[in-house]
Amino acid sequence: MIGGTAPTRSEASAQVLVFGAGRRLGSTEAMVDVDLSAQGGVITILGPNGAGKSTLLRCLATVWLPDSGSVLIDGLDPRHESDRLEIRRRLGYLPQDSGLAESATVFDVVDYLAVMKSVGRNTRHPERLRRLEVMELLDLVGLAEQAAEKVGSLSRGMRQRVALAQALLGRPTLLLLDEPASGLDPEERARLRSILGERRRHATIIQSTHLTDQAAYTDRILVMAEGRIRFDGSPARLAGLADGTTWIQPTRPVDGSTRTFWETSDGHYRCLGTPPAGAETVQPTVEDGYLLLLNS
C-alpha cells in the first residue's frame, strides 16, 4: 500500500459500481461481463496490451457507454445526459492520448481546462483562485519552471505530467488515469506514487498499467485479460498466487513443469511452475503472481 497505511474512506470519494458491463469494438469483445465495486483508495487495472483496460476506463469516464450491463457513479447513470454531465463535473481523466495543444504554453493548456471545469467559480476572486490552483498543480507535478514553455518543446514524460495536472484540477472525487506512468522516469514514477498516495484519501483513484512495479504500490489490483477480470485483490494476495511455485536454478529449464522463466543478471533462471525435486523456492513478487495467473 502507498505510504504503508490503510486507505482512509472518505464520504467525498466517489462510489463506482459496474454490473455485468460489456463493450464490443467491431467484432472484438473488448470488455466482457465486468463487475466492479469501489469507493476510495487506489485501484490498479493491470493487464497486457489489448486486455480491455482502456475500454473499462473510457466507460467509467463516460467517453463510451457499455453495450450491456450498467455503470453507476455516485448513483448517477451516464446513459442519461443530465447524469453524465454531473459525473463529468466530479471526475478527472487522463487518457492515453491527451491531445495537448503543442503551440500553447504549459500554463495556458492547464488554465484552459480549468476554465472549462469552472475552477474557482462561486468565489469572490474566481480568476485569481483558478490561476493559483493551476500553478499549485504545475508545481506538484514538477513543471512550475516550465509554465511559460510551449507544450511542443516538452519531452514525452513532461507532456504526461501536464496531462496529469489537468486531471487533478478541481480535486475530483473520481480520478481515472490510463497508463499514467507512461514515459516517466523512475524519479517521476515515485512522484506519481506520492501524488496518488495523498489523493487516495479524498478520491476513488483507478489507474491502468502494464507495469507490475507500479501496481505493487496500490491498494487493490484488478488483473484483466481478453476483456475479463481474472483477479481482484491486494498486491500481497496476487503475489501469494505464486507461493511455492517460484524458484531459481543455475541451468535453463528443459522440462514441461516450468510455465515461464527468464534469465537473471547473475546468469541463473527464475522459474514459475512446478518446482523440481530439491528446488529451493523463493519469496514470490507481484510480477510472479501476475505471470503465473496469465500463463495458467
Side-chain angles (χ1 to χ4, degrees):
M1 294 183 181
I2 298 173
T5 58
T8 301
R9 295 293 181 254
S10 168
E11 291 182 359
S13 299
Q15 182 189 61
V16 177
L17 297 173
V18 181
F19 303 101
R23 172 81 189 195
R24 296 186 67 89
L25 299 179
S27 60
T28 302
E29 287 189 295
M31 189 170 70
V32 184
D33 199 25
V34 168
D35 293 322
L36 171 62
S37 175
Q39 185 168 20
V42 182
I43 299 140
T44 296
I45 308 170
L46 176 65
N49 293 333
K53 305 185 300 295
S54 294
T55 300
L56 175 54
L57 284 182
R58 286 173 183 144
C59 288
L60 294 177
T62 75
V63 176
W64 290 344
L65 295 175
D67 297 324
S68 59
S70 62
V71 171
L72 296 175
I73 310 295
D74 288 336
L76 300 167
D77 189 338
R79 290 175 293 189
H80 306 303
E81 184 177 2
S82 59
D83 283 8
R84 187 162 61 249
L85 292 174
E86 180 57 34
I87 290 170
R88 290 176 180 177
R89 293 189 183 100
R90 304 180 186 198
L91 70 80
Y93 178 42
L94 189 160
Q96 281 197 46
D97 182 6
S98 54
L100 300 174
E102 296 194 357
S103 61
T105 67
V106 170
F107 179 90
D108 286 344
V109 162
V110 181
D111 187 52
Y112 175 77
L113 189 60
V115 172
M116 299 298 291
K117 294 188 74 170
S118 300
V119 173
R121 184 182 58 179
N122 300 326
T123 64
R124 291 184 60 185
H125 306 286
E127 182 174 353
R128 178 176 177 274
L129 290 178
R130 187 191 76 238
R131 289 175 173 267
L132 180 62
E133 178 169 340
V134 169
M135 284 307 302
E136 286 177 345
L137 287 175
L138 289 178
D139 183 58
L140 182 67
V141 300
L143 289 176
E145 294 183 0
Q146 287 77 32
E149 294 184 16
K150 300 290 187 182
V151 170
S153 69
L154 302 181
S155 67
R156 179 187 175 195
M158 286 182 174
R159 295 186 194 199
Q160 187 75 343
R161 285 186 275 153
V162 173
L164 177 60
Q166 287 185 321
L168 294 170
L169 281 166
R171 297 191 69 84
T173 58
L174 175 59
L175 191 56
L176 304 172
L177 309 174
D178 199 349
E179 298 283 358
S182 176
L184 301 185
D185 61 31
E187 182 178 358
E188 291 308 326
R189 288 183 188 176
R191 184 197 295 269
L192 173 63
R193 290 196 294 268
S194 177
I195 292 171
L196 299 187
E198 187 278 326
R199 294 301 168 103
R200 69 200 262 272
R201 302 183 181 279
H202 312 285
T204 301
I205 303 172
I206 303 177
Q207 65 167 342
S208 73
T209 188
H210 60 274
L211 303 172
T212 53
D213 62 335
Q214 187 70 18
Y217 289 93
T218 58
D219 302 306
R220 178 178 166 194
I221 297 175
L222 306 179
V223 176
M224 286 193 76
E226 298 179 338
R228 299 178 183 273
I229 294 180
R230 299 274 302 277
F231 171 89
D232 183 350
S234 68
R237 183 165 164 253
L238 180 56
L241 295 181
D243 191 30
T245 67
T246 307
W247 74 98
I248 294 176
Q249 64 182 52
T251 58
R252 184 182 180 91
V254 294
D255 58 38
S257 64
T258 304
R259 294 186 182 175
T260 187
F261 65 89
W262 60 96
E263 187 175 1
T264 63
S265 59
D266 61 3
H268 286 67
Y269 292 85
R270 189 177 183 94
C271 309
L272 297 174
T274 303
E280 183 177 350
T281 59
V282 296
Q283 184 71 25
T285 64
V286 166
E287 183 170 72
D288 293 328
Y290 170 68
L291 291 173
L292 192 68
L293 180 68
L294 292 187
N295 285 277
S296 62

